[in-house]
Amino acid sequence: MKKLMFCFFLFTGTFAFAQDDVDVKGNTVTVREKAPVWPGCESSDDQKTCFNQKLMEHVKNNYKYPRNDKGEFIRGKVVVKMHVDEEGKTVVTSVKGDQKPVIAAVEDMLKKMPVMTPGTRGGSPTKISYTLPLNL
């Protein structure tokens, strides 16, 4: 049940993806902005959905719940602001929350993010920013 709740809150959070901006002129289609691609999602028909699924798997597999002095799990909410840079590396700009041990655990989990295919704007690699609210 806890995993189901975790998944629900992960998906219902506002995770801002870059959107494809398409110009159609005659028979020419130009894509101006494209979101980063998570490793393993390159051949997916819906790379954004694949990105979400891989991110959820990453959180599930790499987040270690901290414990208090009594051995009980510490839970909390955090808001992560990050971007995927021009080289495809995840750069965390801030992690804000109400529980310091949860913030530290989230920061440790984010250090394990894989290098991705960078997002593009106008055909050139560019930094794409994200905000990720987590209920852990």
Side-chain angles (χ1 to χ4, degrees):
M1 182 66 180
K2 290 179 184 178
K3 288 182 181 179
L4 181 62
M5 291 292 289
F6 171 76
C7 293
F8 172 77
F9 285 113
L10 183 65
F11 276 127
T12 59
T14 55
F15 192 63
F17 270 108
Q19 303 225 350
D20 290 343
D21 184 8
V22 179
D23 278 344
V24 179
K25 293 181 182 177
N27 293 331
T28 306
V29 177
T30 306
V31 177
R32 292 190 194 164
E33 186 173 298
K34 188 171 180 180
V37 180
W38 194 283
C41 294
E42 296 85 0
S43 62
S44 175
D45 291 336
D46 188 353
Q47 291 179 341
K48 292 177 184 178
T49 299
C50 184
F51 186 103
N52 273 336
Q53 290 171 342
K54 295 288 188 178
L55 177 63
M56 189 173 98
E57 286 175 22
H58 178 80
V59 172
K60 181 180 171 184
N61 294 332
N62 293 286
Y63 181 76
K64 305 295 182 213
Y65 283 93
R67 295 178 184 254
N68 63 17
D69 294 338
K70 297 178 185 177
E72 302 166 330
F73 290 114
I74 301 172
R75 300 187 176 278
K77 296 178 183 181
V78 295
V79 176
V80 177
K81 291 189 179 189
M82 63 184 192
H83 64 263
V84 178
D85 69 12
E86 294 86 351
E87 297 175 358
K89 297 176 185 172
T90 302
V91 178
V92 178
T93 54
S94 74
V95 180
K96 294 184 180 179
D98 54 352
Q99 298 286 337
K100 288 183 182 182
V102 173
I103 292 170
V106 168
E107 288 172 342
D108 288 342
M109 181 257 312
L110 292 171
K111 289 178 185 175
K112 299 174 185 172
M113 294 277 282
V115 175
M116 301 175 212
T117 303
T120 59
R121 187 171 290 134
S124 299
T126 189
K127 173 178 82 172
I128 305 290
S129 298
Y130 297 94
T131 298
L132 176 62
L134 294 171
N135 244 343
L136 304 165

